[in-house]
Amino acid sequence: MDDYGAQGAMYDWNDLKAFLAVAETGSTLAAAQAMRVSQTTVARRIAALEAATGVTLFERRQAGYALTPVGEAMLASAAAVRDAAERFGEAAGARSRDAGGTVSLTVMEIIAVTILPPILRDLRAEHPGIHIQLDTSDEPRDLAAGAADIAIRSSKQPSGAGLVGRRIADNPWTVYCSRDYADRHGVPHTREQLAAHPFIGGGGGVWEPYRAWLRQHGLEEAVVMQYDTATGLLSGVRAGMGLSVLPAYLADREPDLIRCLPPKSDDTTGLWLLTHERLRHVPRVRLVLDFMARALTKLGRE
């Protein structure tokens, strides 16, 4: 935070904190220890503040720093600025903690039933005033039309008017089987070996690109049954029914699943956290966005 001195010069808030620390401790060394910076930094900040204000704030003595009469006169004003900054921070924190209301979140069901529940549990514990309205449609909702406040999407590049957000993690799709299936039938490690194994098809909104992948590798006839949701694909693979293509971000965290093949090198699919530009600064939406970003990013690193 910057402000203006009595003569119109700009000074840095950190310089003012150094002034207060030296005034309270009597030396740049003690102030540096309190501020967790170097003694040189504190001395430099005091000199910068004196240059900006045009007054001498301290007498440099062998025993330490002593306030000049001008410094003494300015001490109360500096402390008032610090107190005001602390009150501002406390008020902002309380506003964030007290932020409440409903936030609508749209996400594929397969994500909603796997990685999301513990995140929502922690969100509720930390921010009880937030009520999440969850939409688990596999079809992308129109955030510009107000269909949802926040979206978690698996996409190469999200499309939609006014979308803002961030790519949380890589999320390529590749082939998985269960550990039980692997014990009974082995694990195919090449695309040629896949033809000897049954596939679970379907997956709702993911079926068209999935089927195109199967056709590309001559595996469409290997599909033994179809589910109408991606969650169904996951349940079929867990049960040892066969192989299926699943998103790596969540499938790699399933203890009963084994990745059969590495993702294609050109698969740039990512997991995205999105909102509409008109909502990005609404307190309750911002709170959920920030919480989700931290939790999903942490999960992606584990």
Side-chain angles (χ1 to χ4, degrees):
M1 181 180 74
D2 292 327
D3 205 342
Y4 285 93
Q7 297 181 3
M10 183 76 78
Y11 63 84
D12 190 297
W13 164 234
N14 289 311
D15 296 346
L16 193 63
K17 288 194 291 186
F19 165 63
L20 287 166
V22 173
E24 291 167 357
T25 63
S27 75
T28 54
L29 177 59
Q33 293 170 343
M35 295 177 68
R36 297 182 179 180
V37 297
S38 70
Q39 185 177 11
T40 301
T41 296
V42 173
R44 177 174 53 79
R45 289 198 174 281
I46 295 299
L49 184 60
E50 289 180 331
T53 56
V55 297
T56 301
L57 299 171
F58 293 99
E59 293 180 10
R60 279 70 168 172
R61 300 175 179 173
Q62 189 172 1
Y65 277 46
L67 285 166
T68 64
V70 174
E72 288 277 7
M74 295 177 66
L75 185 60
S77 296
V81 173
R82 176 186 59 193
D83 294 344
E86 290 176 352
R87 288 194 301 272
F88 178 85
E90 290 169 359
R95 181 69 176 270
S96 175
R97 290 191 298 272
D98 295 340
T102 298
V103 176
S104 56
L105 173 64
T106 178
V107 58
M108 291 177 65
E109 185 184 45
I110 192 171
I111 295 176
V113 301
T114 53
I115 63 176
L116 207 55
I119 294 175
L120 294 178
R121 175 203 62 205
D122 293 345
L123 173 64
R124 171 66 183 171
E126 189 168 326
H127 303 286
I130 293 291
H131 176 74
I132 296 294
Q133 181 179 327
L134 199 60
D135 171 22
T136 58
S137 171
D138 285 350
E139 296 298 324
R141 298 304 193 191
D142 187 353
L143 301 190
D149 298 324
I150 297 172
I152 301 174
R153 290 183 185 169
S154 179
S155 173
K156 292 184 178 180
Q157 182 63 52
S159 60
L163 290 184
V164 294
R166 57 184 291 191
R167 181 186 174 106
I168 295 296
D170 294 337
N171 190 34
W173 290 57
T174 192
V175 182
Y176 291 84
C177 70
S178 71
R179 295 188 182 278
D180 175 67
Y181 181 92
D183 290 341
R184 290 183 288 113
H185 304 288
V187 180
H189 291 299
T190 67
R191 299 190 185 277
E192 292 73 20
Q193 293 173 359
L194 293 177
H197 295 265
F199 271 78
I200 306 163
V206 306
W207 176 229
E208 286 307 316
Y210 180 12
R211 181 161 60 180
W213 183 88
L214 290 169
R215 285 175 179 168
Q216 179 184 354
H217 297 286
L219 296 170
E220 192 171 11
E221 296 301 318
V223 174
V224 297
M225 72 171 298
Q226 290 186 211
Y227 282 94
D228 63 359
T229 66
T231 307
L233 295 179
L234 177 60
S235 65
V237 175
R238 281 173 171 169
M241 193 177 296
L243 314 182
S244 188
V245 174
L246 295 168
Y249 183 87
L250 66 91
D252 284 345
R253 288 163 180 77
E254 289 284 320
D256 292 333
L257 298 190
I258 297 174
R259 185 193 283 191
C260 299
L261 298 177
K264 295 174 63 177
S265 59
D266 60 350
D267 188 345
T268 58
T269 305
L271 193 71
W272 296 78
L273 183 63
L274 307 165
T275 189
H276 192 269
E277 58 186 3
R278 70 173 180 275
L279 299 175
R280 66 192 305 178
H281 297 303
V282 174
R284 66 181 185 280
V285 175
R286 185 76 257 169
L287 185 152
V288 175
L289 280 171
D290 291 343
F291 191 95
M292 288 285 182
R294 290 193 301 270
L296 292 170
T297 300
K298 179 182 178 182
L299 187 63
R301 291 171 178 165
E302 293 175 351

